[in-house]
Amino acid sequence: MIRKLVGSIREYKKVTLLTLLLMVGEVFFEVLIPFITADMVNDIKAGAPMDGVLKTGLLLLVMAMLSLSCGALGAVTCARASSGFGKNLRRDIFTRVQDFSFENIDRFSSASLVTRMTTDVNNVQMSFMMLIRIAVRAPLTFIFAITMAYIMGGKLATTFVVVVPVLVFGLAMIARKAMPAFRAVFNKYDKLNESIEENVRAMRVVKGFTREDYEKKKFAAASQDICADFTKAERIVALNSPLMQFCVYFNMLFVLTVGSKLIISSGGTTIDVGQISAMLTYGMQILMSLMMISMIYVMLTMSAESAKRICQVLDEETSLHNPDQPVRTVADGSVDFENVSFKYSRKAKRSALENVSLHIDSGMTVGVLGGTGTGKSTLVQLIPRLYDVTEGSVKVGGVDVRDYDLDALRSAVSMVLQKNLLFSGTIKDNLRWGNENATDQEMEEACRLAQADDFIRSFPDGYDTWIEQGGANVSGGQKQRLCIARALLKKPKILILDDSTSAVDTRTDALIREGFRKFIPETTKIIIAQRIASVQDADLILVMENGRIVDMGDHQSLMARSPIYREIYQQQNKGGEENE
């Protein structure tokens, strides 16, 4: 896990190492200052000349400036290294997610991925910053200060034999009690973000059913749960302060009491005022370094859970890989399913598709009908290899899709998904997802074919109209038509519409299909639809049930022999007659 995370430091290795060196320099000068100060105090007490005192004072000033400079530069280089590390780590996670197949994405919720790229990365970044700065500074300060304390105070330094174990034991117990609460928080963050994401996306539904109060209560409960865990952990961690103060004051009391007696009893021969002042300073440095080490321990334990969650994403192997010698050209839009069975998970008891065999000639228009959960969307998602078949094979242009270069295959297959999605930007920006080099003329032609040109021109800014996130400022039918136009700009060999005209009226739907017949006759068109009118004139209509193709043929032949198709047709026509 550590090796995986360290790989994200990359170009910030030099600045990271520089931070470590600067921290060593800061500690070195900081620990020497009390030693020299003690000698100066003793010299002044012994009546040393002013010249000697000034020289020592000047030396102390130089050392203080050097320590300050090392600390300040270390803060700058540490900020640069930790921020760069966080940037690289987020980029690595995002890049990894882009390589995921649908199967990989199904293992992580979108809210969980957002939490990992924000909260979890922030925690790991904070720990990295503490490691290269405080985690170097604190142990070195502790070691140097203990050494110098024994050099300066001799037996008086035995106070640390009592104080240090008490503080270490207390801090360890505090951290041990606090950690379970910190660990429990992160999974709850996922649920909180999920609740926010779901609420924002479904805002119209929430308001339509006046469920605002319910959503507020649900969010408040999740937020209160996280607050309770953090409060519990922070309440325990807050015990650090009184424990630290107890040890500091005990050390000061012991050093002043025992030290004063030693000075009086020995007449300053065993220990002097300078040594006592140094002991007080070293005692503070030792205890503060232990305090910092405990903070590092708490932070590292917190971020360990975040690091595990990040590495889960980085270690996730995509289930789809390019072959060693991929085919990079798709000959035509023919599609063949040969004894295809598919499960979304190896543990799944039921197959989403079972023993499907099908041949589609290039340029055909194919309709797919069936109830919810019959495998219609699953069937078409295997064509651009969004998933791999469990058994059998899917061929496009006579070649198994697993033998194609993924980019080449998906460039030849345009798919308008069931859930249409537009991105923040202008209409032109969204259309260019289909072809980033598309000219204005090509975009207008695609929009005319998708019956989108008229409503686009009705906007004051036309094709430069700004689309809000998710297409919130356009209707469902307009969104569908823009997505179809975007798909057409790819000039694909296969065009798949997964229930993508459900929000448009029957006249517009008919005009879109008429445009397909006239202007892209060589493109294979596969249309999943709920209404028979959308596929009635198709060359081939598939009727699906329970993950199987139970019948296929044109409209007339299915009306004659397929009870399922006939029932759907009669129900829809009856509904239409009643509505009339």
Side-chain angles (χ1 to χ4, degrees):
M1 183 173 72
I2 294 173
R3 191 183 298 114
K4 180 77 69 175
L5 294 175
V6 167
S8 295
I9 299 176
R10 291 197 289 278
E11 69 270 27
Y12 296 96
K13 285 181 181 177
K14 290 182 180 179
V15 74
T16 299
L17 291 173
L18 181 58
T19 301
L20 299 176
L21 292 173
L22 288 168
M23 290 302 102
V24 172
E26 181 186 20
V27 171
F28 176 75
F29 292 117
E30 192 175 275
V31 172
L32 278 180
I33 288 173
F35 180 79
I36 297 172
T37 302
D39 285 343
M40 186 175 70
V41 170
N42 290 335
D43 289 344
I44 292 172
K45 183 184 174 186
M50 196 62 185
D51 289 346
V53 174
L54 288 174
K55 286 181 181 178
T56 306
L58 184 61
L59 177 61
L60 286 172
L61 179 62
V62 171
M63 293 182 70
M65 292 303 295
L66 288 172
S67 178
L68 179 63
S69 299
C70 287
L73 287 172
V76 172
T77 55
C78 178
R80 186 179 172 193
S82 60
S83 298
F85 169 72
K87 176 199 70 175
N88 285 347
L89 192 55
R90 285 190 190 90
R91 182 186 296 168
D92 291 344
I93 298 171
F94 188 78
T95 301
R96 193 66 177 163
V97 171
Q98 299 310 301
D99 291 334
F100 281 178
S101 65
F102 276 27
E103 182 181 345
N104 297 117
I105 292 171
D106 291 342
R107 296 195 187 109
F108 301 94
S109 69
S110 57
S112 177
L113 288 172
V114 169
T115 304
R116 290 168 206 247
M117 278 190 273
T118 52
T119 304
D120 288 332
V121 169
N122 285 340
N123 287 337
V124 172
Q125 179 181 331
M126 183 66 69
S127 290
F128 178 74
M129 182 189 71
M130 295 181 78
L131 279 171
I132 63 175
R133 191 177 180 193
I134 302 174
V136 172
R137 191 181 189 283
L140 284 177
T141 300
F142 178 77
I143 295 168
F144 289 171
I146 282 279
T147 303
M148 295 302 293
Y150 272 96
I151 292 172
M152 295 293 294
K155 293 179 181 179
L156 196 59
T158 53
T159 179
F160 301 118
V161 176
V162 178
V163 175
V164 169
V166 171
L167 185 58
V168 169
F169 177 77
L171 294 176
M173 291 301 295
I174 289 170
R176 183 180 176 186
K177 293 288 186 183
M179 286 314 100
F182 280 127
R183 289 194 188 101
V185 165
F186 296 107
N187 288 331
K188 293 178 181 179
Y189 264 128
D190 287 349
K191 293 180 181 177
L192 183 70
N193 287 340
E194 241 171 69
S195 175
I196 296 169
E197 181 184 30
E198 186 178 57
N199 180 274
V200 172
R201 286 189 174 186
M203 185 59 71
R204 288 178 174 81
V205 178
V206 171
K207 292 189 177 297
F209 285 87
T210 61
R211 296 282 283 180
E212 293 92 341
D213 289 340
Y214 170 79
E215 288 295 316
K216 288 176 185 176
K217 289 176 183 176
K218 187 171 76 170
F219 178 82
S223 183
Q224 180 59 39
D225 200 13
I226 291 174
C227 178
D229 280 344
F230 262 124
T231 302
K232 179 182 176 182
E234 294 292 349
R235 191 185 298 125
I236 297 169
V237 171
L239 295 174
N240 277 350
S241 182
L243 178 62
M244 181 69 186
Q245 288 180 350
F246 170 79
C247 292
V248 167
Y249 292 133
F250 175 84
N251 176 67
M252 289 175 64
L253 185 63
F254 182 88
V255 170
L256 288 172
T257 303
V258 176
S260 298
K261 286 183 178 180
L262 285 173
I263 292 173
I264 294 168
S265 62
S266 66
T269 57
T270 304
I271 193 169
D272 211 338
V273 177
Q275 277 80 5
I276 290 204
S277 68
M279 284 294 296
L280 290 173
T281 305
Y282 285 132
M284 186 62 73
Q285 287 180 349
I286 289 166
L287 297 174
M288 287 305 295
S289 64
L290 285 174
M291 189 69 173
M292 287 191 286
I293 290 171
S294 73
M295 289 171 56
I296 294 165
Y297 177 68
V298 170
M299 191 65 209
L300 287 178
T301 309
M302 282 179 60
S303 62
E305 190 64 26
S306 292
K308 288 177 186 175
R309 288 159 51 82
I310 289 169
C311 287
Q312 283 175 353
V313 178
L314 295 177
D315 290 337
E316 180 76 9
E317 289 293 334
T318 180
S319 57
L320 301 180
H321 297 278
N322 272 337
D324 293 334
Q325 295 181 329
V327 178
R328 299 186 183 277
T329 302
V330 180
D332 56 46
S334 63
V335 179
D336 290 280
F337 283 74
E338 297 178 354
N339 300 315
V340 169
S341 294
F342 173 74
K343 290 182 179 180
Y344 280 101
S345 169
R346 294 177 184 177
K347 297 178 181 178
K349 295 179 180 179
R350 181 177 173 274
S351 296
L353 292 175
E354 193 169 346
N355 197 29
V356 173
S357 293
L358 169 68
H359 173 72
I360 300 172
D361 288 327
S362 183
M364 284 182 69
T365 299
V366 179
V368 186
L369 288 174
T372 302
T374 55
K376 305 185 301 295
S377 295
T378 305
L379 181 80
V380 296
Q381 285 175 357
L382 297 178
I383 297 172
R385 203 187 168 199
L386 299 179
Y387 293 95
D388 266 341
V389 298
T390 306
E391 296 176 15
S393 67
V394 177
K395 295 180 179 179
V396 171
V399 177
D400 193 314
V401 292
R402 290 168 292 195
D403 294 331
Y404 278 113
D405 174 77
L406 276 170
D407 289 343
L409 173 65
R410 290 173 183 172
S411 294
V413 180
S414 271
M415 189 167 181
V416 184
L417 296 170
Q418 200 168 11
K419 293 181 180 179
N420 298 286
L421 184 64
L422 296 174
F423 297 88
S424 300
T426 64
I427 289 177
K428 285 183 179 180
D429 293 335
N430 275 275
L431 292 174
R432 286 197 172 105
W433 274 70
N435 178 3
E436 61 183 353
N437 299 315
T439 64
D440 288 352
Q441 185 179 355
E442 287 173 326
M443 285 189 282
E444 290 169 10
E445 184 181 346
C447 288
R448 280 194 292 271
L449 191 54
Q451 302 302 309
D453 184 66
D454 288 343
F455 79 77
I456 292 173
R457 292 186 183 279
S458 70
F459 296 144
D461 295 325
Y463 281 81
D464 292 314
T465 299
W466 184 264
I467 299 294
E468 301 293 340
Q469 185 179 20
N473 59 331
V474 291
S475 70
Q478 290 171 339
K479 192 188 299 184
Q480 285 186 337
R481 282 176 277 173
L482 287 172
C483 289
I484 292 171
R486 180 174 65 189
L488 289 170
L489 276 171
K490 285 179 71 176
K491 298 180 180 177
K493 289 183 168 61
I494 300 172
L495 176 64
I496 300 171
L497 304 182
D498 187 356
D499 202 16
S500 303
T501 56
S502 57
V504 302
D505 59 86
T506 52
R507 179 178 175 275
T508 303
D509 186 12
L511 289 172
I512 292 172
R513 287 182 282 111
E514 179 65 24
F516 288 170
R517 279 194 299 272
K518 285 184 179 179
F519 298 104
I520 52 171
E522 295 178 358
T523 299
T524 303
K525 296 155 293 277
I526 302 175
I527 304 170
I528 296 176
Q530 295 296 328
R531 54 195 183 204
I532 285 181
S534 297
V535 298
Q536 189 171 336
D537 55 354
D539 302 311
L540 179 67
I541 302 171
L542 311 178
V543 181
M544 297 193 67
E545 189 174 33
N546 296 325
R548 293 173 175 269
I549 298 176
V550 294
D551 212 336
M552 66 176 76
D554 60 16
H555 173 70
Q556 296 300 329
S557 63
L558 289 174
M559 282 294 292
R561 68 168 184 267
S562 173
I564 297 174
Y565 185 84
R566 192 164 50 248
E567 182 183 356
I568 296 171
Y569 178 80
Q570 290 171 350
Q571 285 178 345
Q572 291 182 0
N573 282 341
K574 182 181 178 182
E577 290 167 6
E578 287 177 354
N579 289 334
E580 289 174 5

